[in-house]
Amino acid sequence: MELLRFETKKIFNPITIALLGLICASFFIINGYFSIINFTDDRSINEGGYLERTGLSVEYTTCLDWAEKYGETIDDSELEQIKAQRGSLADDITELFGNIPEEVVNGLDDNLKKIAENGVIYGTKDFDTLSYFVSDHIVHLDRSGALSDEAAQFISDYSKKENEIKFIDSFISKYELIKNDYLISSGRYSGYSSAADKRLQALNKSDIRFGYLPQCLIYTTNEYFAGMDKSIIVGILILLSPLFVRDKLHKMLPTQLSSKTGRNIYKTKMTAAVVSGALFTVFYIALYYAGLLSVDGIKAFLSFRLPSVMIDYQPWFDMTFGAYLFLNALLTLLISVTVSLVTAWVSMNSKNYIDLLIKVFIEYFVLTNTVTLDVPFYPENFQSTLTGLPLSDVIYTVLLLGAVISVCIVSVRSRAKKDLIEG
Amino acid sequence: MRIIKYELSKIFSFPMVPIFVILCLLVNLGTVFLQVLNEPSALAYVNDVSNFTKEHGAYITDELMAALEQSDDQNLDRLNKELSEIEPEFLGFDFDRMEAQYFEEISSSPAAINLQTAKFSAAKERYQSLLEQNADKSILAAEETGCVYSFLFGKLLMFLSAEGCVVTVIVLALVLHYEKLSRTENYLAATKTGRSLIFYKAAAGSVCSLVLHCVITAITLSVYFSIWDFSGIWDANVSSSFNFVDDGFLEKPFITWKSFTVSEYLAATLCMTLVLLIITALFTMIICSLIDNTYFALAFILLFAVFSIAGARILPQLGFQVPYLISMYNPVNLWRGQPLWFSEGGIDFAGKWFETIGAGTSLAVLILISIPTFRHVHRKDIK
């Protein structure tokens, strides 16, 4: 136990920790941070007259409002209320265009002015025309760079309402599709295996299919997890790769083997690698999850089921978003134990740092292309697409861990029997 | 020369070096074959188009269109249709709209807008000049240009330069730290060559990594071009109407500062990759000379690479548009912008010839740093 503590302490030496902290922070910026801010794609006019990102996306905020009103799924009566909400937004836009600032009208080109004169723009509910009208005007404003408060307010209000209407329109059309057996009749799912087809048929009979977990939330979460997995793999490689090589280069092996622990040192080092890798992973997952859960209102979606009108992917099981986060963390922990063992094994079989570097490159390439989670628990991921079986990604991860443990046990045993003179 | 030979034999005494090169080749060839498997119809089409343009020229002319009308080949019929349809769009690119969309993103920084305004007005003139040279009428691979061109310049050549840089780091770290790892540093310092050995080591490492890169590149590109027939594409201009750049903001023409044919552009890209490798070699030499511990030296190089990318991602978010534009001249970020080399570079790169200026500056700075570094190596104690 004492030796295990020493080995773990050696792994977490201060310089390595500092280095790891800097590299992982950079990876968070590259892979993680931008996934979270994908939520913030709503735009409004800033002081300079330009559009800028200001808040959470319309899809996310609208779903958040609905979560309070309608619960986790939408039924037909609630859909009527959503349609009424759309009508009210359209009326707001009509009213808004009744008081259109002169400055905005002046920005129109001649064709649009003609349309305006004929009364098509004022009071219209043709949002494609309006959208074109506003976008075109903004292009002109961008070059002038200056805008009155009134005009800026008009364009901000219009953009916000227009985005909300567009989202509601898209939601209604997708709801109708799902209601009309889209899950079992569309070409979208034509390449699915028979197991996935059965799953879709079961889902098609359930009201859970009318969930409305925002698309941006699930896509972003998956992207975020993929980034997290890659960062964890790199972190473990940096942390554990010198485990055996460092002692070998300092000629410590003969001393260690002649101690009381003797040949058990290999087992102890392997255990230290798994413990350190798992500790690092738990810490890293906690940081990433804290980042994700700090997004405003996300906790309201934790009890939502994964199937959603807004998302084309359908999971193997009707788990909640909260359970999905928890299971993802567990799966990542399993992967990290696998990576820790592989890294320790590579370190055990490397002569020096250069030899190690090349092997670590190969290990990184192989692991990130085979182990990293890409939409886990969904039929769309690499392993499930290949086998067509439910949860193939989880089964694959467990089998891989088993295989790696077996290889490590055999290697450690054969090393323990090896003559010291052989090296 | 004898010493360089010995140093080279040390590099190849590590079986993992040739194994790594072979694995790089396998990855490249796997990527090439995967594309062929995924795009069999594109392959047939491009090869037919190339065969046709080899005979009738790589530009749209009346004779070429007349020859196309007479052909009864399915792919050439498709080409005929595509060439007839694209014509009205040739002059239709709206530079004002492009500027407006870019400036919307960098609205917080008037300095960055000024820098980009100058570049975009130069790009506008350059576009007119390319139109006068009929660059837009170059056929390239017609509608499959995106598939062929973006794979070659946006993926395969980026793989090759990244692999070249990794091989350079491995070979130079190996050769420079070999004596430390074998505990022979003391003996060698006492020989006639003494500490000047570092120059031989640097020369051997650089030559070896460049040769290995050339071998990987030659084999990969030979296989690629034996599958994709470029004989009729080589003379096409890269600023063809079919070669649009999609940078996440908008689709725009590929405006280069000099008129490049595909063959010239490929040669220029390969030369620039060699300059990047020399930069990597110099950087690795400096780091490995200053940091004795191989693990920390390698970790520092990794840290520099990820810092460069992370910095370039976070700076615009914090509103530092001008520092962001400067950070894009860093060699790591130049590599990320490889598909845009010799072109106007969009919102991420300010100024003309950003890759040449960036690489030239990095090279000059590293040469300046390497002089005191090598002096330091000559003076420092051997532990």
Side-chain angles (χ1 to χ4, degrees), chain A residues 11 29 42 189 275 386:
Chain A
I11 290 170
I29 291 169
D42 191 16
Y189 304 102
V275 170
L386 214 62

Side-chain angles (χ1 to χ4, degrees), chain B residues 229-285:
Chain B
D229 177 12
F230 266 55
S231 53
I233 296 176
W234 288 124
D235 293 333
N237 197 301
V238 287
S239 303
S240 154
S241 284
F242 291 101
N243 192 16
F244 264 71
V245 179
D246 184 356
D247 63 358
F249 294 101
L250 73 167
E251 278 196 338
K252 57 180 185 176
F254 188 62
I255 304 164
T256 50
W257 298 116
K258 180 194 166 299
S259 194
F260 281 106
T261 61
V262 173
S263 57
E264 287 167 350
Y265 191 76
L266 178 67
T269 305
L270 291 175
C271 289
M272 187 50 71
T273 305
L274 287 181
V275 177
L276 270 193
L277 292 200
I278 294 169
I279 291 171
T280 312
L282 271 173
F283 183 69
T284 313
M285 273 180 233

Side-chain angles (χ1 to χ4, degrees), chain B residues 17-270:
Chain B
V17 174
I19 289 175
F20 187 74
V21 171
I22 291 167
L23 285 174
C24 287
L25 274 172
L26 286 178
V27 170
N28 297 345
L29 298 181
T31 315
V32 169
F33 289 124
L34 209 62
Q35 197 216 10
V36 174
L37 285 177
N38 288 336
E39 315 267 1
S41 57
L43 175 66
Y45 178 74
V46 171
N47 287 351
D48 281 351
V49 169
S50 176
N51 224 348
F52 181 77
T53 51
K54 192 179 168 186
E55 250 179 68
H56 298 91
Y59 291 81
I60 303 172
T61 55
D62 293 340
E63 292 92 302
L64 180 131
M65 293 305 285
L68 264 183
E69 288 291 340
Q70 287 164 7
S71 74
D72 51 0
D73 184 273
Q74 195 186 345
N75 283 330
L76 294 183
D77 280 348
R78 185 183 151 194
L79 177 67
N80 188 12
K81 202 174 159 224
E82 286 167 4
L83 295 186
S84 323
E85 279 172 5
I86 197 158
E87 200 141 19
E89 293 172 25
F90 274 34
L91 296 163
F93 186 68
D94 183 354
F95 267 88
D96 295 336
R97 198 171 184 87
M98 178 177 90
E99 278 189 37
Q101 256 180 292
Y102 282 153
F103 291 170
E104 193 182 305
E105 285 299 311
I106 54 173
S107 60
S108 57
S109 170
I113 290 180
N114 286 340
L115 276 173
Q116 296 286 26
T117 308
K119 187 188 80 176
F120 288 139
S121 55
K124 197 173 179 179
E125 280 173 28
R126 183 70 207 133
Y127 182 57
Q128 290 306 326
S129 148
L130 284 168
L131 289 179
E132 282 161 20
Q133 292 169 32
N134 285 336
D136 58 326
K137 291 196 167 61
S138 143
I139 298 170
L140 236 158
E143 287 288 327
E144 295 292 352
T145 297
C147 161
V148 180
Y149 187 91
S150 63
F151 177 80
L152 177 61
F153 290 102
K155 195 170 182 181
L156 196 59
L157 287 177
M158 277 186 86
F159 269 31
L160 287 170
S161 41
E163 286 161 357
C165 289
V166 173
V167 167
T168 307
V169 170
I170 289 172
V171 167
L172 272 152
L174 167 64
V175 79
L176 289 172
H177 279 191
Y178 187 89
E179 312 308 335
K180 279 188 192 85
L181 296 171
S182 337
R183 295 169 185 269
T184 49
E185 213 181 2
N186 309 5
Y187 307 111
L188 286 167
T191 60
K192 191 178 148 199
T193 311
R195 292 167 189 231
S196 301
L197 190 65
I198 190 169
F199 294 112
Y200 293 100
K201 282 183 174 290
S206 306
V207 169
C208 178
S209 48
L210 288 179
V211 168
L212 287 178
H213 167 72
C214 290
V215 169
I216 297 174
T217 305
I219 296 175
T220 306
L221 291 184
S222 312
V223 173
Y224 180 78
F225 290 122
S226 66
I227 297 171
W228 296 85
D229 177 12
F230 266 55
S231 53
I233 296 176
W234 288 124
D235 293 333
N237 197 301
V238 287
S239 303
S240 154
S241 284
F242 291 101
N243 192 16
F244 264 71
V245 179
D246 184 356
D247 63 358
F249 294 101
L250 73 167
E251 278 196 338
K252 57 180 185 176
F254 188 62
I255 304 164
T256 50
W257 298 116
K258 180 194 166 299
S259 194
F260 281 106
T261 61
V262 173
S263 57
E264 287 167 350
Y265 191 76
L266 178 67
T269 305
L270 291 175

